[in-house]
Amino acid sequence: MKGRDNDAKKSNETSAAIARIKSYITLHIQETITASDLAKAAGYSQYHMARIFKEETGLSPFEYLRHKRLTAAAHALREGKQKVLDIALDFVFDSHEGFTRAFANGFGISPKKYASHPLPEGWLIPRRYLDRSKTNTEVDNMNETAVIFTQIIECPARKLILKRSTKADDYFSYCEEVGGGKSDDSAVWDVLSEIKEALYEPVGLWLPRNMRPEGTGIYAHGVEVSANYAGEIPNGFDVIDLEPCKLLVFQGEPYSDAEFDKAIGICLERISKFNPEVYGYKYAPELAPKMQLKPWGWRGYIEMQSIVSK
């Protein structure tokens, strides 16, 4: 009994320390915050503070801080009363470029373009992507350290600009076929990233049978644009009209570069075993390709599949 009491006391102390850390971040979100500041708020050493916070939330203290700042910046952008640079500086980003890069990596859209949207549309839902709490979210515990978050979102009618392959069935065979780009992505990715009218960031695609002409591969890279897009289509690229649909979004936990293969392998395994029929849905691959966002360790692996009600 005494052991249980001690465990409960320790758990309560940890929860209180984490609450103090979160409160400190909220109160000082527009100020410079150091590991020493957070450790003092928690009442622990820097090492112990970081360890318990990661164990409890799945994020390091500074990943949590970055998410909170980006979320607050997104709210400020929606109000449309400040310049992007002013918001970047308000939330302690060193430069316009650094803020834009962090925002785009997290949300798949530039701050300027995000500010021009009166309301979130499609899977442009930054607040949800950054909110890693379990509230209103189906959570599938994989093991003690791996969690998959799921959510269902509505997508409007839109177009998909893509570059097909002849026989590729995954990212690596696709890159071998189309060639490498300026960074670690394909040459096609570079072209897609230059389409200013794109709704979101480029994605990897697994095309269903009804969207795959004879003699073309399963895998491709593409980007979504509005249904009334009338801009230029890059040479050698195709366009597919996509109907309105629901997408089931899977998002894994953040991971370090050293754990890339393991983290994504776990996510893919769990996704393959997920049964949407338990929740009244079934997969509908004929409505949209399976899509994969570029894996970024801090936001976790993200994959989307179309579904319909049973």
Side-chain angles (χ1 to χ4, degrees), residues 109-175:
I109 189 172
S110 71
K112 184 176 181 180
K113 186 178 289 188
Y114 175 72
S116 70
H117 286 254
L119 291 171
E121 298 176 357
W123 48 269
L124 180 61
I125 45 173
R127 283 187 286 275
R128 292 186 185 179
Y129 273 174
L130 288 186
D131 181 6
R132 306 197 67 85
S133 68
K134 300 177 182 180
T135 305
N136 296 323
T137 305
E138 176 60 33
V139 179
D140 181 16
N141 291 306
M142 294 185 291
N143 53 43
E144 293 183 353
T145 59
V147 174
I148 285 283
F149 298 80
T150 65
Q151 58 185 317
I152 296 172
I153 56 177
E154 297 278 352
C155 284
R158 65 252 186 243
K159 296 180 185 291
L160 175 67
I161 300 175
L162 72 159
K163 174 67 174 180
R164 300 183 185 276
S165 64
T166 57
K167 57 182 180 179
D169 57 7
D170 61 23
Y171 173 84
F172 298 104
S173 57
Y174 182 80
C175 289

Side-chain angles (χ1 to χ4, degrees), residues 176-225:
E176 286 182 5
E177 187 173 319
V178 303
K182 298 175 183 177
S183 58
D184 293 333
D185 299 309
S186 70
V188 171
W189 199 276
D190 291 344
V191 175
L192 295 170
S193 298
E194 294 298 319
I195 298 178
K196 296 180 180 180
E197 299 85 354
L199 296 175
Y200 319 110
E201 63 187 284
V203 291
L205 305 164
W206 284 269
L207 296 160
R209 180 66 268 179
N210 62 308
M211 297 182 188
R212 207 167 67 239
E214 193 70 31
T216 60
I218 296 173
Y219 190 84
H221 279 168
V223 74
E224 291 178 307
V225 294

Side-chain angles (χ1 to χ4, degrees), residues 40 76 93 96 99 116 147 153 201 215 280 282 307:
K40 289 177 181 178
F93 288 88
H96 184 290
F99 173 64
S116 70
V147 174
I153 56 177
E201 63 187 284
K282 62 180 180 179
I307 56 173

